[in-house]
Amino acid sequence: MAGTMSNAITSPPIIGRAYYPALVAASTSMWAIILGPVLSTIPNQVDSIAPGNKVFGLALVTGIAGIVGIVTNPLIGHLSDRTRTRFGRRIPWLLGGMALILPISIIIGHSRSILELTLWWTLLQVGANMLMAPTSATIPDVVPERHRGMASACLGIAAAAAPVLGTGVQTLVSSPSQVYMILGGLICIAQLCFITTLRNDHTVPQAHSRTKKRMYWEHMIPRSKDFWLVCAHRSLFARGKNMALAYLFY
């Protein structure tokens, strides 16, 4: 992600043990609202709205949101790298993501058309990306290098636990509006706990001369063969998993 590859002037990383469980909770709740509704809530909504054209409707809703997500994730990561505030670089984006997700999670369950559902689901993905890129970027910001493997493992745990949480909520409540509101509420609680662990993060963007700025943009696209192999692997793996998940309900 773009947010993980920036140069920064940093104070020595100061994080407590609470950072790691908070990272798991924040990432799990975030992925739960991305992956959970796709398993049954959105297919069920599409089936209710357009039962005779549900496959196309689901493709439209998830396809447009997916394309927007592909664009906004690295863009938000880059913008968070360049953010300068008294609260650091990541916290404003995390607060912004919560501010976007919370009202949409109240509205989206009442969608009455495919276009309306597509709009709200797409905006929800933007809000999730406002959390995703900055959350991952906190690892190089505040975690000592020798502990970054543990932090990366926390993200892996979250990706595995999120579908369980999402489907668990959908099993407990039958109303789509309640599903989104519960998942949105869990995101806010988890993110607020996570933000408290970042209070000592004072990283700021490094000032660049014109030459350094040119070099920065030249290195925005890595030339490493290993990087692109890893990128291709993760892309294919995620695409295969999500293609199966999206149509599992039908």
Side-chain angles (χ1 to χ4, degrees), residues 85-153:
T85 73
R86 58 180 294 188
F87 304 106
R89 297 186 291 176
R90 315 305 178 186
I91 290 177
W93 289 94
L94 298 177
L95 293 174
M98 286 190 294
L100 183 58
I101 286 175
L102 189 57
I104 293 175
S105 65
I106 298 173
I107 298 170
I108 188 173
H110 303 284
S111 300
R112 293 293 178 265
S113 69
I114 294 297
L115 291 179
E116 187 180 353
L117 181 59
T118 301
L119 172 63
W120 296 128
W121 182 242
T122 300
L123 290 176
L124 193 66
Q125 299 306 297
V126 174
N129 281 321
M130 291 175 70
L131 303 178
M132 186 188 305
T135 296
S136 299
T138 63
I139 295 177
D141 283 350
V142 302
V143 178
E145 189 171 351
R146 65 184 182 278
H147 292 153
R148 288 178 187 172
M150 182 189 300
S152 295

Side-chain angles (χ1 to χ4, degrees), residues 66-238:
I67 292 171
V68 171
I70 291 172
V71 174
T72 56
N73 189 280
L75 176 61
I76 290 171
H78 172 69
L79 292 175
S80 74
D81 283 347
R82 315 314 301 160
T83 298
R84 289 175 177 269
T85 73
R86 58 180 294 188
F87 304 106
R89 297 186 291 176
R90 315 305 178 186
I91 290 177
W93 289 94
L94 298 177
L95 293 174
M98 286 190 294
L100 183 58
I101 286 175
L102 189 57
I104 293 175
S105 65
I106 298 173
I107 298 170
I108 188 173
H110 303 284
S111 300
R112 293 293 178 265
S113 69
I114 294 297
L115 291 179
E116 187 180 353
L117 181 59
T118 301
L119 172 63
W120 296 128
W121 182 242
T122 300
L123 290 176
L124 193 66
Q125 299 306 297
V126 174
N129 281 321
M130 291 175 70
L131 303 178
M132 186 188 305
T135 296
S136 299
T138 63
I139 295 177
D141 283 350
V142 302
V143 178
E145 189 171 351
R146 65 184 182 278
H147 292 153
R148 288 178 187 172
M150 182 189 300
S152 295
C154 290
L155 297 182
I157 292 170
V164 178
L165 174 61
T167 53
V169 170
Q170 292 168 96
T171 301
L172 294 174
V173 296
S174 57
S175 169
S177 59
Q178 291 180 327
V179 172
Y180 291 113
M181 285 191 288
I182 291 173
L183 292 176
L186 290 175
I187 281 179
C188 290
I189 294 171
Q191 286 293 334
L192 288 173
C193 293
F194 181 61
I195 286 172
T196 62
T197 69
L198 302 175
R199 61 186 180 276
N200 293 314
D201 176 21
H202 301 298
T203 58
V204 297
Q206 187 176 23
H208 291 295
S209 64
R210 287 188 177 181
T211 302
K212 287 186 176 181
K213 284 182 179 179
R214 185 171 63 252
M215 292 174 63
Y216 175 82
W217 284 107
E218 289 175 352
H219 285 83
M220 282 292 290
I221 302 178
R223 298 180 181 179
S224 168
K225 179 181 177 181
D226 290 339
F227 172 86
W228 290 111
L229 285 173
V230 171
C231 187
H233 165 264
R234 295 189 65 175
S235 176
L236 291 171
F237 180 83

